[in-house]
């Protein structure tokens, strides 16, 4: 007979790769956004499980830091968020960006979710189920993805919403990450025009990148996502956000190879000199992307260890020739993402965006959270 605790401990000992999320850093990034958007409310976008970092842990930390409104993409995400808040005896408003699908009113009602209404039919559908919850209106100002088009907006007036509980009018920027792009100002002007008739209803235009465009873009509320999680929102690197994720993996095996031997699939890495190769228990199925093969590096202690050869599904090989033999041993931990190698660096190397690195971090990784007291109390994020 083994206890549950002993079983858990043995599973943890067997884990090969883990990620640590610094909730304190998320809270500090939130406060930085509050300072940048001073005078506007900072809501938080936590779709896709808080960009892969765990909405159950992230959202309560943000509520305790003063955030009262969240955005998710899906009803199921909203329901999971509501559960996490309820379990912590916390409350917040939750908007569902993908809007209202006919038949889903019970789920909206049970989890007290607010639809972001994106089209005339969605508005009609929400009205026809008795509009049980407050809602938001998304007007399209040039993204051409979701939102009521400017042409359709001409059919709407504030009185079209008299029987609905409209709480927010929002739009979304296409090029917020490129401050020099003239489309930002175009969208801002169109948003101002289209939202103007809705007196007294809060307005929101900005994601993370939009926050960096300055006060004229902020309106009443901003709704950043990626910046909270340490992603670089903008091409202009004027403002940096604190890295949040540490990713590390254990060495499973170390081998000595001769000059001209190759490593891994496709034999893409050929040793120029005799070398020591360590095999790590992490691969692209964990979210350590295939595109990082031969490009990224990790850290074993203070020493950089280049990733050599292709990334496999469950394994990654690094050259540890420059690390003392007694250090590069099975069981030693190699760090693959941290303050020195950020999600932004990894995204650049893998030719993708930090969003995809973050949301790709797999549920298979063992997860740890920092910045919360042992008893689950407030995050140690510094005073506001
Ligand atoms: C995802 C999303 C956001 C947050 O975007 P970031 O670039 O992560 O800050 C805000 N608004 C809408 C409509 C979104 O889809």
């Amino acid at each position: 007979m083994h206890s549950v605790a002993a079983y858990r401990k043995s599973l943890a000992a067997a884990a090969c790769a883990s990620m640590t999320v610094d909730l304190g850093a998320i809270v500090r990034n939130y406060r930085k956004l509050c300072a940048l958007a001073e005078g506007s409310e900072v809501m938080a976008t936590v779709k896709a499980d808080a960009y892969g970092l765990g909405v159950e842990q992230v959202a309560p930390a943000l509520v305790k830091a003063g955030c009262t409104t969240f955005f998710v993409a899906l009803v199921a995400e909203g329901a999971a968020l509501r559960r996490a808040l309820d379990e912590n005896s916390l409350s917040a408003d939750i908007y569902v960006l993908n809007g209202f699908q006919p038949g889903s009113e019970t789920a909206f009602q049970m989890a007290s979710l607010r639809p972001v209404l994106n089209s005339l039919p969605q508005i009609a559908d929400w009205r026809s189920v008795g509009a049980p919850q407050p809602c938001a209106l998304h007007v399209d100002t040039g993204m051409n993805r979701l939102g009521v088009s400017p042409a359709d907006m001409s059919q709407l007036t504030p009185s079209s919403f008299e029987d609905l509980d409209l709480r927010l009018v929002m739009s979304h920027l296409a090029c917020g990450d490129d401050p020099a792009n003239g489309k930002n100002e175009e969208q801002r002007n169109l948003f101002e025009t289209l939202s103007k008739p809705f007196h007294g209803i809060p307005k929101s235009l900005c994601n993370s990148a939009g926050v960096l465009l300055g006060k004229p873009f902020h309106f009443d509320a901003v709704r950043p996502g990626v910046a909270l999680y340490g992603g670089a929102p903008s091409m202009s690197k004027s403002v940096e956000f604190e890295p949040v994720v540490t990713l590390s993996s254990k060495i499973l095996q170390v081998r000595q190879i001769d000059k001209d031997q190759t490593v891994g699939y496709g034999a893409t890495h050929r040793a120029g000199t005799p070398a020591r190769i360590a095999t790590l228990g992490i691969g692209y199925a964990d979210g350590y992307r295939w595109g990082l093969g031969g490009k990224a590096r990790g850290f074993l202690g203070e020493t950089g260890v280049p990733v050599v050869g292709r990334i496999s599904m469950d394994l990654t090989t690094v050259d540890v020739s420059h690390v003392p033999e007694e250090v590069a041993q099975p069981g030693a931990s190699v760090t693959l993402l941290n303050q020195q190698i950020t999600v932004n660096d990894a995204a650049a190397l893998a030719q993708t965006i930090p969003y995809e690195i973050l949301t790709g971090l797999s549920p298979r990784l063992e997860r740890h959270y920092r910045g919360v007291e042992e008893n689950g109390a407030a995050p140690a994020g510094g005073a506001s």
Side-chain angles (χ1 to χ4, degrees), residues 1 7 56 60 123 143 200 203 207 209 261 274 280-281 291 296 336 374:
M1 281 291 285
Y7 175 64
E56 269 183 47
I123 295 168
M143 183 78 170
K203 319 274 190 305
N207 60 352
Q261 281 196 298
L280 311 180
L336 297 166
E374 278 304 289

Side-chain angles (χ1 to χ4, degrees), residues 45 47 51 97 145 170 172 207-208 223-226 355:
T45 300
K47 59 199 181 191
Y51 290 44
L97 288 165
R145 189 179 68 168
M170 57 170 271
H172 193 48
N207 60 352
S208 303
R223 23 169 237 280
V226 79
Y355 301 75

Side-chain angles (χ1 to χ4, degrees), residues 30-296:
Y30 178 77
R31 293 192 172 128
K32 186 165 200 166
L33 288 156
C34 291
L36 288 164
E38 209 202 322
S40 302
E41 182 179 347
V42 180
M43 302 168 165
T45 300
V46 294
K47 59 199 181 191
D49 199 25
Y51 290 44
L53 303 190
V55 77
E56 269 183 47
Q57 290 79 11
V58 169
L62 285 170
V63 172
K64 288 170 193 163
C67 181
T68 61
T69 304
F70 292 94
F71 290 86
V72 295
L74 308 178
V75 167
E77 293 171 358
L81 169 53
R82 179 62 70 204
R83 262 196 311 280
L85 294 176
D86 285 349
E87 277 164 17
N88 289 276
S89 305
L90 298 170
S91 68
D93 298 332
I94 304 173
Y95 286 98
V96 176
L97 288 165
N98 282 8
F100 177 64
Q101 318 289 328
S104 64
E105 57 271 18
T106 304
F108 271 91
Q109 215 158 354
M110 286 180 69
S112 218
L113 306 177
R114 303 174 168 199
V116 175
L117 302 173
N118 290 305
S119 66
L120 298 182
Q122 276 193 7
I123 295 168
D125 287 340
W126 184 244
R127 172 173 288 119
S128 75
V129 299
Q133 248 78 243
C135 60
L137 171 67
H138 183 172
V139 304
D140 184 16
T141 53
M143 183 78 170
N144 286 310
R145 189 179 68 168
L146 285 179
V148 179
S149 69
D152 285 350
M153 279 301 287
S154 65
Q155 300 185 38
L156 293 176
T157 64
S159 62
S160 321
F161 289 89
E162 258 164 17
D163 56 337
L164 304 183
D165 187 1
L166 184 63
R167 298 291 183 93
L168 186 73
V169 179
M170 57 170 271
S171 191
H172 193 48
L173 294 167
C175 305
D177 62 337
D178 179 10
N181 198 309
K183 196 171 171 85
N184 294 321
E185 190 57 28
E186 263 174 51
Q187 286 195 264
R188 199 195 74 79
N189 286 331
L190 185 54
F191 182 58
E192 205 157 66
T193 307
L194 294 175
S195 66
K196 198 168 211 126
F198 297 88
H199 297 295
I201 304 208
K203 319 274 190 305
S204 172
L205 178 61
C206 290
N207 60 352
S208 303
V211 172
L212 306 189
L213 295 177
K215 192 143 186 72
F217 286 82
H218 294 164
F219 294 88
D220 303 298
V222 297
R223 23 169 237 280
V226 79
L228 293 168
Y229 314 112
S234 179
M235 292 176 197
S236 108
K237 304 226 162 58
S238 54
V239 181
E240 294 205 348
F241 294 90
E242 204 177 315
V244 165
V245 181
T246 306
L247 178 68
S248 57
S249 177
K250 261 186 229 166
I251 296 178
L252 302 181
Q253 196 174 353
V254 182
R255 62 186 1 88
Q256 179 74 40
I257 62 170
D258 297 331
K259 179 176 182 301
D260 287 333
Q261 281 196 298
T262 66
V263 179
Y265 284 123
T268 56
H269 177 77
R270 185 177 295 273
T273 60
R276 259 180 308 124
I277 303 296
T279 303
L280 311 180
I282 189 170
Y284 58 77
D286 300 289
Y288 196 65
R289 298 177 67 92
W290 188 86
L292 294 169
K295 294 187 182 153

